[in-house]
Amino acid sequence: MRDKTKMDYKKWLRNKELKYRDNILYFADVSTIELAEKYSTPIYIINEQLIRKRYKQLKDVLASEYKRNEIHFAIKANSNLSILKILNSEGANFDCSSTGEIYTCFKAGISPEQIIYTGNMFTDEDFNFAVKNDVLVNLDSLSQLKRLAMVYDNLGKEKNAISFRINPEFGAGHHAHTITAGKNIKFGILDNQVIEAYKKAKEVGFKKFGTHIHIGSGILNPHNFDKAIHKYLGIITNLADTLDITFEFIDFGGGLGIPYRPEEEPLDLQVYKEIVVKGFKELVEKGGFDEPILIIEPGRYLTAEASIILAQINTIKNNGYKMFAGINAGFNTLIRPMMYGSYHHIIPCDISQEREKVTYDIAGPICESGDIIGKERELPELNEGDYLAILDAGAYGFTMSSSYNSRPRPAEILVNNGQSYKIREAETFDDILKHQIIPDHLK
Ligand code: LLP
């Protein structure tokens, strides 16, 4: 029997602004069949209003508890300029992990003071770019401090604010590769180096300070933040007690998960707030803190559900043992299933004909047997030519795509108020080849 406490499937779809109208799948009130026919497939479709909605929901939750907060969108999740402009227009700030991401933000009209640069394994070139452009650096290793200070001195820039990424040792995430805290993990500095790091930062002339953690990605149970936050707040208290430091900001990182599977409930933002914001407020109210800005850095939460991939079935293969539905989007378009074994729900765009249920592996066109976007999916019998929607592709979808097998990346389409806009051209074969240089002796 169906568990009544579990969310009903239609509601689960509706939360992602998906619904069947006259048996045709609509996304943001636009027919997916019309989009597939107009723009051809494979294609990423992005829902502008859903991004705005997710941002506002999260902002309201934070602001209901603590006014001085900032949401820094982790642009590694989705770095399309139009998406950055949408979030910027909502008042978002931004988390960048590379100078390329900082450059992208500038191109979207985002200013340096809206950005925190949380890189790792920084080079001097990285520091030069950030310091020249007045972007705050969040250091990842004690050893990097000297080099960063030198870059400031060489460029004749005043050392203003700095932050360190602290590794609170308790991590979480949907896959081992997305857990980013723990003694064996490459990120951040451990408790035993924190005092030294900030002491040295003061000594070399930094005047303002922030702190940062990011414990992992794809966390749907907010209680998985408990231990890390507890430890983090303890480290900060100790830091404030030991050194005479006022904090400009305290950053809790991202990691907020989304319900990829129909049986999953959305992240409980109220519980998240209890754990993160209330813990932070208690710390601030204890004294010694001058109302620092509370920062979080979600990527996935803001954009994942706001995009689907439309793909077309080209091959139905019954090998006598298993059924395969072959589509024109593979791990070149969405690598998450192949890379992390991630589940992305896949649904037909047209359910107008009554069909029997059949179990398929939904396979992409890449020449590797791991190119399965959905394993053992029970779907109404599929035919060659049918369109499928692959859900929740708006975070780590396009940004992790590739042109492997010399397959050009697809276009991106934004839908808003019933209209659709191409916001990225599909690549061409020549785009894939354009940076190659043939030496004279091979011409
Ligand atoms: N802040 C920092 C410092 C991060 O490294 C990340 C993600 C975020 C924020 C945003 O995390 P989110 O809120 O999106 O969970 N490719 C993987 C996810 C890798 C995340 C890397 N860092 C995936 O497809 O699941």
Side-chain angles (χ1 to χ4, degrees):
M1 228 177 73
R2 198 180 166 80
D3 180 352
K4 289 253 171 50
T5 59
K6 288 261 162 62
M7 184 176 299
D8 123 293
Y9 178 55
K10 273 196 187 142
K11 186 168 173 216
W12 183 85
L13 284 179
R14 236 183 6 253
N15 277 348
K16 299 173 192 284
E17 296 191 358
L18 288 156
K19 64 167 173 263
Y20 286 96
R21 190 187 296 161
D22 296 331
N23 294 319
I24 300 297
L25 180 66
Y26 278 69
F27 185 42
D29 285 327
V30 180
S31 154
T32 55
I33 298 283
E34 278 173 28
L35 288 166
E37 281 170 358
K38 179 167 179 191
Y39 295 105
S40 87
T41 58
I43 194 133
Y44 302 87
I45 310 290
I46 306 168
N47 175 347
E48 175 167 344
Q49 291 306 322
L50 193 51
I51 296 175
R52 294 188 183 279
K53 187 172 168 184
R54 287 287 178 270
Y55 180 85
K56 287 191 186 110
Q57 278 174 334
L58 201 49
K59 188 73 184 171
D60 285 350
V61 167
L62 296 183
S64 69
E65 197 66 42
Y66 188 75
K67 292 280 175 273
R68 295 198 76 209
N69 69 79
E70 289 177 3
I71 298 178
H72 288 238
F73 174 58
I75 94 160
K76 57 179 80 68
N78 192 321
S79 54
N80 184 291
L81 295 174
S82 300
I83 306 311
L84 301 183
K85 279 177 175 286
I86 290 167
L87 284 163
N88 196 26
S89 75
E90 290 292 336
N93 292 278
F94 297 87
D95 158 49
C96 293
S97 66
S98 71
T99 53
E101 288 185 354
I102 297 172
Y103 180 84
T104 306
C105 281
F106 290 164
K107 288 283 169 187
I110 292 156
S111 51
E113 64 277 7
Q114 290 174 269
I115 300 171
I116 295 178
Y117 176 21
T118 298
N120 72 104
M121 314 312 164
F122 291 100
T123 65
D124 286 356
E125 288 73 28
D126 293 335
F127 286 150
N128 259 295
F129 186 94
V131 175
K132 260 190 205 155
N133 287 292
D134 300 316
V135 173
L136 191 150
V137 180
N138 182 31
L139 285 180
D140 186 54
S141 164
L142 190 49
S143 66
Q144 294 161 348
L145 180 62
K146 244 192 191 161
R147 283 198 290 126
L148 177 64
M150 205 127 79
V151 169
Y152 270 97
D153 292 340
N154 290 344
L155 292 170
K157 289 260 191 185
E158 199 192 330
K159 294 185 202 81
N160 192 12
I162 193 174
S163 169
F164 285 93
R165 177 174 185 159
I166 294 169
N167 176 338
E169 291 176 44
F170 296 104
H174 68 80
H175 184 273
H177 292 168
T178 70
I179 297 172
T180 53
K183 276 205 174 83
N184 291 322
I185 299 283
K186 69 168 180 164
F187 294 111
I189 55 174
L190 297 178
D191 195 1
N192 58 10
Q193 290 187 327
V194 171
I195 303 270
E196 190 187 352
Y198 283 85
K199 190 159 170 277
K200 284 200 168 138
K202 267 183 106 174
E203 282 165 13
V204 298
F206 286 97
K207 299 189 181 60
K208 295 181 171 177
F209 304 92
T211 65
H212 172 271
I213 56 166
H214 171 72
I215 66 160
S217 198
I219 302 166
L220 203 48
N221 178 354
H223 288 291
N224 291 347
F225 286 100
D226 276 336
K227 282 185 179 158
I229 301 289
H230 187 72
K231 172 112 193 242
Y232 183 41
L233 295 176
I235 292 173
I236 299 171
T237 308
N238 186 26
L239 187 55
D241 290 347
T242 314
L243 303 175
D244 181 24
I245 277 186
T246 40
F247 293 102
E248 296 295 308
F249 66 84
I250 294 175
D251 187 335
F252 291 84
L256 295 78
I258 61 124
Y260 285 100
R261 294 171 185 268
E263 66 271 19
E264 286 171 341
E265 299 279 335
L267 176 76
D268 189 331
L269 288 180
Q270 292 307 321
V271 178
Y272 177 78
K273 181 175 86 171
E274 292 281 322
I275 295 165
V276 175
V277 191
K278 287 214 172 144
F280 164 85
K281 255 179 83 178
E282 276 164 26
L283 174 91
V284 170
E285 279 158 9
K286 263 195 253 160
F289 292 90
D290 197 15
E291 289 231 351
I293 300 169
L294 179 152
I295 295 179
I296 60 166
E297 293 171 350
R300 184 187 325 266
Y301 186 81
L302 297 178
T303 58
E305 293 171 290
S307 180
I308 59 174
I309 294 167
L310 296 179
Q312 190 169 27
I313 299 171
N314 49 58
T315 305
I316 299 290
K317 177 187 285 193
N318 179 353
N319 72 1
Y321 173 73
K322 202 177 182 95
M323 293 293 288
F324 294 91
I327 60 173
N328 54 359
F331 75 74
N332 51 330
T333 315
L334 183 70
I335 201 169
R336 303 191 69 259
M338 165 90 166
M339 193 146 169
Y340 312 111
S342 298
Y343 181 93
H344 282 260
H345 201 53
I346 302 174
I347 51 179
C349 295
D350 180 345
I351 52 167
S352 52
Q353 286 165 35
E354 282 279 323
R355 294 178 187 170
E356 263 178 49
K357 291 273 171 81
V358 179
T359 299
Y360 299 92
D361 273 11
I362 312 287
I366 296 298
C367 280
E368 296 202 24
S369 45
D371 189 22
I372 303 294
I373 298 283
K375 279 199 180 94
E376 310 260 316
R377 299 299 172 90
E378 196 186 58
L379 288 162
E381 189 182 15
L382 301 170
N383 286 313
E384 295 181 3
D386 289 352
Y387 292 113
L388 294 177
I390 305 165
L391 309 192
D392 303 319
Y396 311 105
F398 193 97
T399 51
M400 294 180 78
S401 66
S402 74
S403 58
Y404 184 43
N405 282 190
S406 293
R407 290 184 177 274
R409 288 178 178 81
E412 291 182 292
I413 307 297
L414 186 71
V415 289
N416 189 38
N417 296 329
Q419 302 288 317
S420 61
Y421 309 85
K422 190 180 274 185
I423 57 170
R424 189 195 300 264
E425 288 290 355
E427 282 178 355
T428 63
F429 294 146
D430 284 327
D431 288 331
I432 296 175
L433 295 175
K434 75 179 171 212
H435 291 299
Q436 296 198 36
I437 301 163
I438 298 172
D440 280 345
H441 74 280
L442 295 177
K443 276 185 181 152

